[in-house]
């Protein structure tokens, strides 16, 4: 389908500072990404030819003045961007999933990941925008015929799956070449077994087929012994990782946005039974096709460099998914509370009276202890870790004022540790917020933690900028002018990222109602706003110091013999 260019330049609200193009934005992951970007006050162009995507997934976004949908085929020239003054980030999510039940998509998949990828890369080069290719961890798998074009990628469903893997491999290779030849600010994010609301139930794979069967109330068909390994990753976790890549300095990096918590197909089926109802599980014969080895997934890069970790466990993710499917609250599941045999069966019928009273007291005490253990302790730990993170963040800011960059960075590491711990505490009691109808309270506290994390990153980057300027001055004085210039060049980009993280933090805080925060965190949120203003002013001063240092280096270079 050809593009329908918009003749007039779209108008957006003035407070927006970042603009993104999301190719494949009406698809499963793409629609969630568009929504998240709008919530962070981005301007969003969503391009999709609707061959697999749907306007239904973005219907609530169409009324947003900062959202612009274009029905377009990215294998054709991107004329719809004519008149757009700037793009900051291009996300390529088009043709991400294999449509094995409809093999006509094989050719489209190959074209979108070749011609389409090139068009997007050329656009990123033109606008000097970041380019983020969302690929698949299945690219390590491949199967080719040595005798016939007719079955080059295999037969039946395997054909579409293998052609999709080949398409993504080529898209990655093309991205690498643009990165090398044009110094494009490109990154690759690989995903696997993504699920959640709006997921495409016509795709291939045991995860998709089991969720589709559960949605229809059908038997859960397990292939073979059910020990196939899966890494179910909730869609919001993937989107969170993509936004972190977009707002950081990760040029030339590859990340795996994949939940490290593995499960088997049988384990997934059992969890689906708890969430969707008591469905029958049936085993079928193992497939006669060649079983490809699992992908070699390295998750350390995402954890260490990106500071990314999944927030939603399988039971919670499936519950949210079925809420979206049904339009009514799904049964919440706490897998730690599996039913046991009734205590009454231990005793004979005649053992009543005093013994039964003792049993009731024991059950009540145990239940009370369990409630305290699963709610009060995580909640208290959440508040304590959040306050410790805030306290250390303020200390880091004070040390930064005194140019103690090393101490500042060490304190920020503590802030990040405490924030992660608080996030885990909050995740552990997420079920309580959901069953009590307090989703807005949970979201407010979650947004506060995200704001703290983004502010901490801004402080850390400011400290790095100060350190770079000091190091550059020393290098210049020792006669290493070129190395000093390189340090200062790096610093310019670091200061841009400082402002990006401060903007993200402010966007997080704008979504926080202090009345919904845990005790004492309302005060901390006010302090965080003040801290952001302080760091913004400090970053401005550092920017002036950077200009002075650059002028000094140029003067030294011009007077050098």
């Amino acid at each position: 389908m050809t593009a329908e260019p918009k003749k007039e330049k779209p108008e957006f609200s003035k407070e927006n500072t970042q603009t993104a193009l999301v190719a494949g934005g009406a698809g499963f992951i793409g629609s969630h990404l568009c929504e998240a970007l709008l919530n962070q006050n981005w301007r969003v162009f969503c391009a999709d030819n609707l061959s697999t995507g749907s306007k239904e997934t973005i219907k609530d976004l169409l009324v947003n003045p900062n959202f612009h949908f274009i029905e377009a085929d990215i294998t054709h020239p991107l004329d719809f961007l004519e008149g757009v003054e700037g793009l900051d980030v291009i996300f390529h999510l088009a043709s991400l999933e294999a449509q094995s039940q409809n093999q006509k998509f094989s050719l489209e998949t190959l074209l979108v990941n070749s011609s389409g990828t090139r068009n997007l890369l050329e656009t990123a080069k033109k606008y000097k925008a970041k380019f983020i290719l969302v690929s698949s961890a299945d690219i390590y798998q491949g199967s080719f015929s040595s005798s016939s074009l007719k079955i080059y990628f295999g037969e039946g469903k395997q054909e579409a799956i293998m052609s999709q893997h080949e398409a993504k491999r080529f898209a990655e290779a093309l991205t690498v070449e643009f990165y090398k030849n044009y110094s494009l600010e490109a990154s690759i994010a690989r995903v696997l077994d993504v699920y959640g609301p709006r997921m495409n139930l016509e795709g291939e794979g045991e995860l998709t087929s089991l969720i589709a069967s559960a949605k229809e109330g059908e038997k859960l068909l397990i292939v073979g012994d059910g020990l196939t390994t899966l890494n179910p990753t909730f869609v919001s976790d993937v989107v969170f990782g993509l936004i972190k890549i977009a707002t950081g300095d990760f040029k030339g990096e590859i990340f795996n946005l994949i939940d490290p918590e593995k499960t088997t197909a049988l384990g997934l089926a059992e969890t689906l039974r708890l969430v969707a109802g008591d469905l029958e599980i049936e085993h079928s014969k193992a497939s006669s096709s060649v079983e490809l080895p699992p992908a070699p997934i390295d998750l350390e890069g995402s954890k260490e460099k990106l500071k990314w970790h999944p927030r939603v466990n399988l039971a919670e993710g499936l519950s949210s998914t079925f809420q979206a499917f049904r339009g009514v609250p799904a049964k919440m599941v706490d897998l730690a509370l599996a039913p046991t045999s009734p205590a009454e069966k231990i005793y004979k019928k005649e053992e009543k009276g005093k013994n039964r009273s003792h049993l009731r007291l024991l059950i009540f005490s145990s239940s009370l202890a369990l409630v305290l253990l699963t709610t009060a302790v995580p909640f208290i730990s959440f508040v304590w870790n959040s306050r410790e993170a805030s306290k250390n963040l303020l200390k880091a800011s004070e040390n930064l004022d005194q140019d103690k960059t090393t101490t500042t960075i060490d304190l920020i590491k503590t802030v990040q540790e405490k924030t992660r711990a608080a996030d885990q505490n909050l995740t552990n009691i997420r079920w309580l917020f959901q069953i009590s109808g307090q989703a807005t309270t949970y979201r407010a506290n979650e947004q506060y933690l995200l704001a703290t994390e983004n502010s901490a990153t801004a402080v850390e980057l400011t400290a790095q900028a100060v350190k770079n300027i000091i190091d550059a001055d020393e290098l210049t004085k020792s006669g290493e002018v070129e190395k000093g210039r390189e340090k200062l060049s790096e610093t310019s980009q670091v200061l841009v990222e400082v402002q990006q993280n401060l903007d993200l933090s402010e966007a997080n805080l704008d979504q926080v109602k202090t009345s919904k925060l845990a005790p004492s965190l309302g005060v901390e949120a006010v302090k965080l706003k003040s801290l952001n203003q302080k760091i913004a002013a400090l970053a401005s001063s550092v920017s002036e110091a950077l200009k002075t240092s650059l002028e000094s280096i140029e003067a030294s270079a011009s007077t050098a013999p």
Side-chain angles (χ1 to χ4, degrees), residues 172-234:
E172 288 199 9
L174 198 56
T175 301
V176 170
E177 290 305 313
F178 268 74
Y179 161 73
K180 288 180 178 179
N181 288 279
Y182 304 110
S183 194
L184 192 71
E185 196 168 350
S187 305
I188 294 173
R190 293 175 183 151
V191 299
L192 183 70
D193 296 334
V194 186
Y195 72 100
R198 307 175 207 155
M199 69 182 293
N200 174 21
L201 296 178
E202 295 182 359
E204 182 58 23
E206 284 197 89
L207 176 74
T208 303
S209 61
L210 285 171
I211 291 176
S213 296
K215 176 179 179 291
E216 299 301 324
E218 299 172 352
K219 292 180 181 179
L220 303 178
L221 190 63
I222 300 295
V223 179
D225 56 13
L227 298 182
T228 305
T229 301
L230 301 169
N231 289 78
T233 308
F234 195 62

Side-chain angles (χ1 to χ4, degrees), residues 124-161:
K125 187 175 74 167
K126 172 185 173 182
Y127 284 96
K128 297 181 179 179
K130 291 182 179 179
F131 180 83
I132 300 172
L133 171 67
V134 183
S135 185
S136 169
D138 285 327
I139 62 160
Y140 298 100
Q141 298 179 345
S143 177
F144 313 98
S145 172
S146 61
S147 60
S148 173
L149 292 179
K150 187 176 181 180
I151 55 169
Y152 184 75
F153 287 120
E155 297 181 272
K157 291 183 178 181
Q158 183 178 333
E159 180 180 359
I161 295 171

Side-chain angles (χ1 to χ4, degrees), residues 55-66:
K55 271 194 176 182
E56 183 68 20
T57 65
I58 54 171
K59 63 181 181 181
D60 294 333
L61 309 182
L62 294 171
V63 296
N64 191 317
N66 300 321

Side-chain angles (χ1 to χ4, degrees), residues 27 57 98 131 139 143 173 175-176 187 191 204 248 297 329 361 370 425 458 462 495 521 527 531 540:
T57 65
F131 180 83
I139 62 160
S143 177
T175 301
V176 170
S187 305
V191 299
E204 182 58 23
I297 303 170
L361 180 60
L370 186 59
N425 297 143
T462 306
L495 288 173
L521 294 190
K527 290 180 183 177
L531 176 70
S540 179

Side-chain angles (χ1 to χ4, degrees), residues 293-356:
I297 303 170
D298 174 19
L299 302 177
E300 287 304 309
S302 300
K303 181 179 178 182
E304 297 300 324
K305 288 187 254 182
L306 192 59
K307 308 292 190 226
W308 176 87
H309 59 282
R311 299 164 179 267
V312 182
N313 65 37
L314 181 59
E316 290 172 335
L318 289 175
S319 292
S320 296
T321 302
F322 276 81
Q323 284 178 11
F325 285 159
R326 297 171 174 172
V328 295
K331 182 168 63 174
M332 292 303 301
V333 180
D334 185 349
L335 297 181
L337 303 179
T340 57
S341 300
E344 290 80 1
K345 290 185 179 180
I346 300 175
Y347 300 94
K348 297 179 180 179
K349 289 184 179 180
E350 62 268 17
E351 292 181 41
K352 299 180 180 178
K354 187 176 180 180
N355 287 341
R356 181 165 291 181

